[in-house]
Amino acid sequence: MEEETHTDAKIRAENGTGSSPRGPGCSLRHFACEQNLLSRPDGSASFLQGDTSVLAGVYGPAEVKVSKEIFNKATLEVILRPKIGLPGVAEKSRERLIRNTCEAVVLGTLHPRTSITVVLQVVSDAGSLLACCLNAACMALVDAGVPMRALFCGVACALDSDGTLVLDPTSKQEKEARAVLTFALDSVERKLLMSSTKGLYSDTELQQCLAAAQAASQHVFRFYRESLQRRYSKS
Amino acid sequence: MAEPASVAAESLAGSRARAARTVLGQVVLPGEELLLPEQEDAEGPGGAVERPLSLNARACSRVRVVCGPGLRRCGDRLLVTKCGRLRHKEPGSGSGGGVYWVDSQQKRYVPVKGDHVIGIVTAKSGDIFKVDVGGSEPASLSYLSFEGATKRNRPNVQVGDLIYGQFVVANKDMEPEMVCIDSCGRANGMGVIGQDGLLFKVTLGLIRKLLAPDCEIIQEVGKLYPLEIVFGMNGRIWVKAKTIQQTLILANILEACEHMTSDQRKQIFSRLAES
């Protein structure tokens, strides 16, 4: 009874600054997205980036406990479960980052005193996990019909010891990098919604990573559009 | 030596707002802005267009456009908040610019005033029944909102009963309230739904499709077996046929209708009609 829309898109993004002395262009890994695959949640999506895969389910707007309700907007909760083991502090901090991104985008004032819950399950982790979680959360929110003022996407990049910029790094590249930066960008004006960085980098390098992420997000949003058009063309 | 980051930013095509008329029937995404008809002339190609100042004030030529589900007003444009196909309906009586809305596929119901829904009574507290309608909070139903109900003559409603009623109060700030009478005080089909039968849940889009005026599915289903059927706008359908087997067949057909094309449906109906 579930409608499955499997969209494959091979996307290559070239780094805009071709004259840079820092090595060849960067590319994003192969994307795939499937919506409405779970029957119980109001919206669900599975997002694949290369070998990294995250499954997201959204429940809402639903009942909320009186202790957690906010009088003028919806209470947004994010639950992230790792592939093995119990969720720890790292998951908690990622949940907060994803929650802050979603709160900036979801129109919570339309559903006061309700709760919108996003549950993310890591199916496989091969680098750029936070970016993949953000993408899966966005697709699941769209599938559930939660009103949003824009779409958002996550893009990760890693900086090598000699300053090479790699978009959408694998776990091996992340380990060897001197800095890993993850950005969440919105779809209207490619504005920065959230950034989470780890490692050593300079001011100019930050600006370059941000610019590269903004260019790459174009491809992600195009993929969203194609995937949603494919879904609605079947009905 | 710093590479200007603005180079990359300029190459990103900032999505210009498109005219609503050109996007009708296409899939729109949250975050897109749509221009209403009378604003299209103002947005000339490439910025400032010189127009002679007209003495005849054209500001009064604004038409009143109704913003339906999935759209919100944002300045003098429409902002899309849900993903789906953009639809438009011309005004019937000539005044106003019609209604624009987004046809989206959803499972979760949000109470809307005037909608007829099927609810399940979950609690009885004093003079009020609490009815679960599938939204974020249970709706309240007073015992006096039934046809012929008075303080002495109370309706026979127990916890667990199915109720077909409509919302009189349904907004984001208040608890939804429903009644089982219309504005003239008559039941008009509303009230407690009888014994037996089967209640099941489908998506909201399927309900709207089945309740459309020219839906063939219901006519074909009616030719198969004699049946009673109640549609709730909250995604719930109650079905009753002569035997349990027929009821289950009907429930399965209606659930599957969402994903079948009309040819597949006709095949299934003809196979069932033979057996």
Side-chain angles (χ1 to χ4, degrees), chain B residues 150-177:
Chain B
T150 59
K151 287 195 181 153
R152 300 251 179 93
N153 178 18
R154 290 176 179 242
N156 183 16
V157 176
Q158 307 303 326
V159 171
D161 279 353
L162 294 179
I163 301 269
Y164 182 62
Q166 63 176 340
F167 286 115
V168 289
V169 171
N171 54 47
K172 60 184 170 99
D173 300 309
M174 295 167 63
E175 179 195 44
E177 292 174 25

mmCIF file of all heavy atoms in Angstrom, chain B residues 150-177:
data_model
loop_
_atom_site.group_PDB
_atom_site.id
_atom_site.type_symbol
_atom_site.label_atom_id
_atom_site.label_comp_id
_atom_site.label_asym_id
_atom_site.label_seq_id
_atom_site.Cartn_x
_atom_site.Cartn_y
_atom_site.Cartn_z
ATOM 1 N N THR B 150 -32.819 17.367 24.437
ATOM 2 C CA THR B 150 -33.114 18.384 25.441
ATOM 3 C C THR B 150 -32.443 17.924 26.721
ATOM 4 O O THR B 150 -31.859 16.855 26.771
ATOM 5 C CB THR B 150 -34.624 18.518 25.703
ATOM 6 O OG1 THR B 150 -35.106 17.241 26.149
ATOM 7 C CG2 THR B 150 -35.353 18.923 24.443
ATOM 8 N N LYS B 151 -32.590 18.735 27.773
ATOM 9 C CA LYS B 151 -31.930 18.364 29.022
ATOM 10 C C LYS B 151 -32.532 17.092 29.590
ATOM 11 O O LYS B 151 -31.840 16.309 30.243
ATOM 12 C CB LYS B 151 -32.030 19.488 30.037
ATOM 13 C CG LYS B 151 -31.133 20.639 29.680
ATOM 14 C CD LYS B 151 -30.920 21.608 30.810
ATOM 15 C CE LYS B 151 -30.027 22.724 30.313
ATOM 16 N NZ LYS B 151 -30.211 23.976 31.014
ATOM 17 N N ARG B 152 -33.819 16.888 29.321
ATOM 18 C CA ARG B 152 -34.446 15.666 29.827
ATOM 19 C C ARG B 152 -34.198 14.502 28.888
ATOM 20 O O ARG B 152 -34.063 13.368 29.328
ATOM 21 C CB ARG B 152 -35.964 15.874 29.959
ATOM 22 C CG ARG B 152 -36.321 16.991 30.906
ATOM 23 C CD ARG B 152 -36.929 16.465 32.204
ATOM 24 N NE ARG B 152 -37.236 17.571 33.106
ATOM 25 C CZ ARG B 152 -38.433 18.158 33.150
ATOM 26 N NH1 ARG B 152 -39.423 17.722 32.390
ATOM 27 N NH2 ARG B 152 -38.622 19.175 33.972
ATOM 28 N N ASN B 153 -34.185 14.792 27.581
ATOM 29 C CA ASN B 153 -34.095 13.734 26.578
ATOM 30 C C ASN B 153 -32.666 13.677 26.046
ATOM 31 O O ASN B 153 -32.345 14.313 25.044
ATOM 32 C CB ASN B 153 -35.092 14.064 25.455
ATOM 33 C CG ASN B 153 -35.041 13.038 24.346
ATOM 34 O OD1 ASN B 153 -34.541 11.939 24.533
ATOM 35 N ND2 ASN B 153 -35.565 13.399 23.184
ATOM 36 N N ARG B 154 -31.784 12.940 26.772
ATOM 37 C CA ARG B 154 -30.383 12.934 26.369
ATOM 38 C C ARG B 154 -30.139 11.904 25.265
ATOM 39 O O ARG B 154 -30.769 10.849 25.264
ATOM 40 C CB ARG B 154 -29.503 12.594 27.561
ATOM 41 C CG ARG B 154 -29.504 13.735 28.537
ATOM 42 C CD ARG B 154 -28.724 13.431 29.778
ATOM 43 N NE ARG B 154 -28.767 14.596 30.645
ATOM 44 C CZ ARG B 154 -27.708 15.301 31.025
ATOM 45 N NH1 ARG B 154 -26.510 14.927 30.659
ATOM 46 N NH2 ARG B 154 -27.850 16.360 31.779
ATOM 47 N N PRO B 155 -29.182 12.186 24.359
ATOM 48 C CA PRO B 155 -28.892 11.218 23.296
ATOM 49 C C PRO B 155 -28.146 10.017 23.876
ATOM 50 O O PRO B 155 -27.457 10.126 24.878
ATOM 51 C CB PRO B 155 -27.990 12.001 22.341
ATOM 52 C CG PRO B 155 -27.373 13.051 23.178
ATOM 53 C CD PRO B 155 -28.351 13.397 24.247
ATOM 54 N N ASN B 156 -28.309 8.884 23.218
ATOM 55 C CA ASN B 156 -27.700 7.651 23.715
ATOM 56 C C ASN B 156 -26.316 7.483 23.096
ATOM 57 O O ASN B 156 -26.151 6.807 22.082
ATOM 58 C CB ASN B 156 -28.621 6.473 23.345
ATOM 59 C CG ASN B 156 -28.081 5.177 23.896
ATOM 60 O OD1 ASN B 156 -27.220 5.177 24.771
ATOM 61 N ND2 ASN B 156 -28.586 4.080 23.384
ATOM 62 N N VAL B 157 -25.305 8.115 23.702
ATOM 63 C CA VAL B 157 -23.946 8.065 23.148
ATOM 64 C C VAL B 157 -23.026 7.475 24.196
ATOM 65 O O VAL B 157 -22.984 7.940 25.333
ATOM 66 C CB VAL B 157 -23.466 9.496 22.777
ATOM 67 C CG1 VAL B 157 -22.046 9.462 22.293
ATOM 68 C CG2 VAL B 157 -24.364 10.094 21.733
ATOM 69 N N GLN B 158 -22.292 6.425 23.842
ATOM 70 C CA GLN B 158 -21.373 5.785 24.782
ATOM 71 C C GLN B 158 -19.945 6.010 24.329
ATOM 72 O O GLN B 158 -19.693 6.341 23.171
ATOM 73 C CB GLN B 158 -21.638 4.266 24.823
ATOM 74 C CG GLN B 158 -23.060 3.884 25.094
ATOM 75 C CD GLN B 158 -23.548 4.487 26.389
ATOM 76 O OE1 GLN B 158 -22.785 4.639 27.346
ATOM 77 N NE2 GLN B 158 -24.808 4.870 26.426
ATOM 78 N N VAL B 159 -19.003 5.764 25.229
ATOM 79 C CA VAL B 159 -17.593 5.866 24.867
ATOM 80 C C VAL B 159 -17.281 4.768 23.862
ATOM 81 O O VAL B 159 -17.658 3.614 24.047
ATOM 82 C CB VAL B 159 -16.714 5.709 26.126
ATOM 83 C CG1 VAL B 159 -15.257 5.587 25.738
ATOM 84 C CG2 VAL B 159 -16.918 6.884 27.053
ATOM 85 N N GLY B 160 -16.632 5.127 22.778
ATOM 86 C CA GLY B 160 -16.305 4.157 21.742
ATOM 87 C C GLY B 160 -17.228 4.232 20.542
ATOM 88 O O GLY B 160 -16.972 3.584 19.533
ATOM 89 N N ASP B 161 -18.293 5.039 20.621
ATOM 90 C CA ASP B 161 -19.205 5.184 19.486
ATOM 91 C C ASP B 161 -18.573 6.027 18.388
ATOM 92 O O ASP B 161 -17.718 6.869 18.640
ATOM 93 C CB ASP B 161 -20.492 5.891 19.937
ATOM 94 C CG ASP B 161 -21.458 4.925 20.617
ATOM 95 O OD1 ASP B 161 -21.184 3.712 20.605
ATOM 96 O OD2 ASP B 161 -22.464 5.404 21.157
ATOM 97 N N LEU B 162 -19.065 5.822 17.157
ATOM 98 C CA LEU B 162 -18.625 6.653 16.030
ATOM 99 C C LEU B 162 -19.626 7.773 15.826
ATOM 100 O O LEU B 162 -20.829 7.542 15.853
ATOM 101 C CB LEU B 162 -18.549 5.812 14.752
ATOM 102 C CG LEU B 162 -17.497 4.725 14.740
ATOM 103 C CD1 LEU B 162 -17.566 3.972 13.430
ATOM 104 C CD2 LEU B 162 -16.123 5.314 14.904
ATOM 105 N N ILE B 163 -19.102 8.969 15.616
ATOM 106 C CA ILE B 163 -19.969 10.143 15.445
ATOM 107 C C ILE B 163 -19.639 10.793 14.110
ATOM 108 O O ILE B 163 -18.455 10.963 13.781
ATOM 109 C CB ILE B 163 -19.678 11.181 16.553
ATOM 110 C CG1 ILE B 163 -19.915 10.597 17.921
ATOM 111 C CG2 ILE B 163 -20.486 12.431 16.351
ATOM 112 C CD1 ILE B 163 -21.281 10.775 18.449
ATOM 113 N N TYR B 164 -20.659 11.171 13.362
ATOM 114 C CA TYR B 164 -20.452 11.937 12.127
ATOM 115 C C TYR B 164 -20.978 13.329 12.393
ATOM 116 O O TYR B 164 -22.168 13.504 12.644
ATOM 117 C CB TYR B 164 -21.208 11.274 10.976
ATOM 118 C CG TYR B 164 -21.028 11.955 9.645
ATOM 119 C CD1 TYR B 164 -19.767 12.057 9.062
ATOM 120 C CD2 TYR B 164 -22.109 12.498 8.966
ATOM 121 C CE1 TYR B 164 -19.590 12.680 7.852
ATOM 122 C CE2 TYR B 164 -21.942 13.116 7.737
ATOM 123 C CZ TYR B 164 -20.674 13.201 7.187
ATOM 124 O OH TYR B 164 -20.495 13.813 5.970
ATOM 125 N N GLY B 165 -20.114 14.327 12.374
ATOM 126 C CA GLY B 165 -20.555 15.681 12.680
ATOM 127 C C GLY B 165 -19.726 16.695 11.923
ATOM 128 O O GLY B 165 -18.859 16.330 11.132
ATOM 129 N N GLN B 166 -20.013 17.979 12.170
ATOM 130 C CA GLN B 166 -19.231 19.023 11.509
ATOM 131 C C GLN B 166 -18.688 19.991 12.555
ATOM 132 O O GLN B 166 -19.231 20.128 13.643
ATOM 133 C CB GLN B 166 -20.065 19.760 10.471
ATOM 134 C CG GLN B 166 -21.255 20.501 11.031
ATOM 135 C CD GLN B 166 -21.958 21.291 9.934
ATOM 136 O OE1 GLN B 166 -21.383 21.578 8.899
ATOM 137 N NE2 GLN B 166 -23.198 21.636 10.177
ATOM 138 N N PHE B 167 -17.607 20.682 12.161
ATOM 139 C CA PHE B 167 -16.983 21.615 13.091
ATOM 140 C C PHE B 167 -17.683 22.963 13.036
ATOM 141 O O PHE B 167 -17.930 23.497 11.965
ATOM 142 C CB PHE B 167 -15.514 21.826 12.715
ATOM 143 C CG PHE B 167 -14.636 20.671 13.064
ATOM 144 C CD1 PHE B 167 -14.014 19.938 12.089
ATOM 145 C CD2 PHE B 167 -14.417 20.332 14.392
ATOM 146 C CE1 PHE B 167 -13.193 18.883 12.410
ATOM 147 C CE2 PHE B 167 -13.602 19.271 14.717
ATOM 148 C CZ PHE B 167 -12.994 18.544 13.726
ATOM 149 N N VAL B 168 -17.970 23.524 14.221
ATOM 150 C CA VAL B 168 -18.451 24.905 14.241
ATOM 151 C C VAL B 168 -17.354 25.848 14.687
ATOM 152 O O VAL B 168 -17.375 27.027 14.375
ATOM 153 C CB VAL B 168 -19.680 25.087 15.172
ATOM 154 C CG1 VAL B 168 -20.872 24.446 14.572
ATOM 155 C CG2 VAL B 168 -19.420 24.535 16.551
ATOM 156 N N VAL B 169 -16.401 25.347 15.455
ATOM 157 C CA VAL B 169 -15.270 26.163 15.871
ATOM 158 C C VAL B 169 -14.022 25.353 15.574
ATOM 159 O O VAL B 169 -13.877 24.243 16.063
ATOM 160 C CB VAL B 169 -15.313 26.470 17.388
ATOM 161 C CG1 VAL B 169 -14.015 27.117 17.833
ATOM 162 C CG2 VAL B 169 -16.485 27.356 17.729
ATOM 163 N N ALA B 170 -13.166 25.875 14.724
ATOM 164 C CA ALA B 170 -11.927 25.139 14.434
ATOM 165 C C ALA B 170 -10.883 26.127 13.995
ATOM 166 O O ALA B 170 -10.797 26.456 12.829
ATOM 167 C CB ALA B 170 -12.179 24.101 13.351
ATOM 168 N N ASN B 171 -10.075 26.628 14.925
ATOM 169 C CA ASN B 171 -8.965 27.473 14.521
ATOM 170 C C ASN B 171 -7.748 27.069 15.331
ATOM 171 O O ASN B 171 -7.825 26.217 16.208
ATOM 172 C CB ASN B 171 -9.298 28.956 14.703
ATOM 173 C CG ASN B 171 -9.747 29.265 16.103
ATOM 174 O OD1 ASN B 171 -9.124 28.845 17.064
ATOM 175 N ND2 ASN B 171 -10.848 29.989 16.232
ATOM 176 N N LYS B 172 -6.617 27.677 15.031
ATOM 177 C CA LYS B 172 -5.384 27.171 15.628
ATOM 178 C C LYS B 172 -5.288 27.484 17.105
ATOM 179 O O LYS B 172 -4.544 26.843 17.825
ATOM 180 C CB LYS B 172 -4.184 27.749 14.890
ATOM 181 C CG LYS B 172 -4.116 29.258 14.942
ATOM 182 C CD LYS B 172 -2.960 29.774 14.105
ATOM 183 C CE LYS B 172 -3.039 31.260 13.954
ATOM 184 N NZ LYS B 172 -2.215 32.022 14.838
ATOM 185 N N ASP B 173 -6.050 28.469 17.582
ATOM 186 C CA ASP B 173 -5.889 28.879 18.975
ATOM 187 C C ASP B 173 -6.840 28.223 19.941
ATOM 188 O O ASP B 173 -6.591 28.236 21.133
ATOM 189 C CB ASP B 173 -6.073 30.399 19.081
ATOM 190 C CG ASP B 173 -5.056 31.136 18.249
ATOM 191 O OD1 ASP B 173 -3.863 30.832 18.404
ATOM 192 O OD2 ASP B 173 -5.453 31.973 17.436
ATOM 193 N N MET B 174 -7.962 27.681 19.452
ATOM 194 C CA MET B 174 -8.965 27.151 20.371
ATOM 195 C C MET B 174 -9.162 25.668 20.171
ATOM 196 O O MET B 174 -8.869 25.118 19.110
ATOM 197 C CB MET B 174 -10.306 27.856 20.153
ATOM 198 C CG MET B 174 -10.248 29.323 20.493
ATOM 199 S SD MET B 174 -11.684 30.175 19.877
ATOM 200 C CE MET B 174 -12.964 29.389 20.791
ATOM 201 N N GLU B 175 -9.736 25.029 21.192
ATOM 202 C CA GLU B 175 -10.066 23.622 21.082
ATOM 203 C C GLU B 175 -11.201 23.471 20.071
ATOM 204 O O GLU B 175 -12.167 24.214 20.128
ATOM 205 C CB GLU B 175 -10.531 23.153 22.460
ATOM 206 C CG GLU B 175 -10.930 21.718 22.528
ATOM 207 C CD GLU B 175 -11.714 21.437 23.808
ATOM 208 O OE1 GLU B 175 -12.591 22.241 24.166
ATOM 209 O OE2 GLU B 175 -11.435 20.413 24.419
ATOM 210 N N PRO B 176 -11.124 22.509 19.162
ATOM 211 C CA PRO B 176 -12.198 22.394 18.155
ATOM 212 C C PRO B 176 -13.496 21.916 18.781
ATOM 213 O O PRO B 176 -13.491 21.096 19.693
ATOM 214 C CB PRO B 176 -11.656 21.366 17.162
ATOM 215 C CG PRO B 176 -10.515 20.712 17.817
ATOM 216 C CD PRO B 176 -10.033 21.561 18.930
ATOM 217 N N GLU B 177 -14.619 22.464 18.267
ATOM 218 C CA GLU B 177 -15.933 22.054 18.755
ATOM 219 C C GLU B 177 -16.739 21.556 17.583
ATOM 220 O O GLU B 177 -16.741 22.189 16.515
ATOM 221 C CB GLU B 177 -16.671 23.250 19.372
ATOM 222 C CG GLU B 177 -16.046 23.739 20.653
ATOM 223 C CD GLU B 177 -16.713 25.000 21.156
ATOM 224 O OE1 GLU B 177 -17.893 25.226 20.833
ATOM 225 O OE2 GLU B 177 -16.041 25.770 21.851
#
